[in-house]
Amino acid sequence: MRGPIALTLLVLAACSGEPAINACGADQWRSLLGKPEAALSVIGKDLRIIHPGDAVTMDFNPARLNAEIDAQGKITKLACY
């Protein structure tokens, strides 16, 4: 009886961990931070650009690169979520 319970707890613990921080490859684009939004044109992948005040869905997609833009049109954050 302990085997199935222990296995279930192990599986649940594995599922609750943090997702891979760089699953979308955000680290390779860090050089774009502080540059104008137009610099994002070199990224040819699943990209979501977020401007101040934009409504953003809460769906989690670790393969999607999210680029946050400030009020001056500069890239302030690149992250996988």
Side-chain angles (χ1 to χ4, degrees), residues 5-74:
I5 293 172
L7 180 61
T8 301
L9 291 175
L10 182 62
V11 169
L12 289 175
C15 293
S16 67
E18 286 292 315
I21 294 172
N22 193 37
C24 68
D27 285 347
Q28 75 184 30
W29 302 108
R30 294 285 178 223
S31 63
L32 297 178
L33 291 173
K35 297 202 170 155
E37 178 182 347
L40 295 170
S41 64
V42 300
I43 301 175
K45 62 179 349 183
D46 192 10
L47 173 66
R48 175 166 61 175
I49 300 173
I50 304 168
H51 297 98
D54 279 356
V56 180
T57 61
M58 296 293 289
D59 63 314
F60 177 71
N61 180 353
R64 177 180 53 219
L65 178 62
N66 294 274
E68 296 183 21
I69 311 298
D70 68 10
Q72 289 74 40
K74 304 287 185 193

